Amino acid sequence: MSINKKAQFDVARKSIYWMIAGFIITLVVIGFVLIIVNYRNALTEFPPEINAEFISLRFTNIPECFAYQDVDTKRVYPGVIDLDKFTTERMELLCYKTNPEKGHGTFNFELELRDKGTTIKTNNYFNAATFTLKRNVFVRDANGILSKDELLIHTQVKIPHFRNYEDT
């Protein structure tokens, strides 16, 4: 009992059809899963402004950064910037430093006291601000005098196509 040539061709044709159909169905299912995953991630993603706001709270609220701390009582005054602490060295040593090699891919800041005309930058800030946060602060100078000022926090989210040209 042998299968005739037409029956053999039908069997081969059906198996090729089901292989191609299975491959296409698999691609459609994987594509649908990727669409659902990307949609879910887009729904739960925080805007960069919120993340930057949380990170930048350190600049005016903790004594390791620029918040004024009374030497006698050790009390920290949030929202009061000690002008003696407002230096690039303090920013890099105690307050906020990103990785020198890969820090361009995260938040970097330039802090500007508008009325004082003083600015400092984080180590990977490349003058490419994505947005600016504003905060009303008091500034305490070396004589202990408080003055009102506005702290502008120029925020660089990341440099997307950064390339280290020293390596080439």
Side-chain angles (χ1 to χ4, degrees):
M1 194 141 162
S2 70
I3 301 177
N4 63 17
K5 293 204 182 247
K6 184 178 179 187
Q8 288 177 345
F9 182 70
D10 284 343
V11 170
R13 186 176 57 175
K14 286 181 182 178
S15 11
I16 291 173
Y17 169 78
W18 283 111
M19 280 189 347
I20 292 172
F23 182 72
I24 291 173
I25 290 171
T26 302
L27 287 178
V28 168
V29 169
I30 289 172
F32 182 70
V33 167
L34 289 175
I35 288 171
I36 296 295
V37 167
N38 286 336
Y39 179 71
R40 184 192 56 133
N41 288 341
L43 286 177
T44 58
E45 183 179 349
F46 284 103
E49 290 86 354
I50 291 176
N51 289 332
E53 183 72 38
F54 286 138
I55 293 172
S56 70
L57 285 173
R58 70 177 48 213
F59 300 136
T60 58
N61 292 331
I62 63 172
E64 290 81 18
C65 284
F66 312 116
Y68 170 68
Q69 182 176 21
D70 191 314
V71 291
D72 298 329
T73 63
K74 303 293 184 213
R75 178 178 173 204
V76 177
Y77 293 87
V80 178
I81 293 179
D82 189 346
L83 199 55
D84 293 336
K85 291 181 178 180
F86 199 73
T87 63
T88 303
E89 294 80 24
R90 186 168 192 97
M91 173 75 89
E92 290 181 359
L93 293 176
L94 298 172
C95 187
Y96 186 82
K97 183 175 182 179
T98 58
N99 184 323
E101 315 265 317
K102 298 181 181 178
H104 59 273
T106 186
F107 289 100
N108 283 283
F109 303 97
E110 177 184 40
L111 306 178
E112 176 186 354
L113 289 171
R114 178 176 277 178
D115 294 340
K116 297 287 184 203
T118 308
T119 61
I120 58 173
K121 300 176 184 179
T122 56
N123 60 327
N124 279 310
Y125 186 80
F126 295 111
N127 297 319
T130 308
F131 54 87
T132 300
L133 304 171
K134 296 178 182 178
R135 193 165 291 138
N136 292 323
V137 294
F138 288 100
V139 178
R140 185 178 187 277
D141 63 11
N143 298 327
I145 299 172
L146 285 177
S147 59
K148 191 174 182 177
D149 205 337
E150 184 175 36
L151 178 66
L152 300 175
I153 305 169
H154 304 288
T155 307
Q156 169 188 299
V157 175
K158 67 179 182 175
I159 303 290
H161 299 291
F162 180 79
R163 181 175 167 195
N164 191 353
Y165 290 102
E166 295 172 356
D167 294 340
T168 58

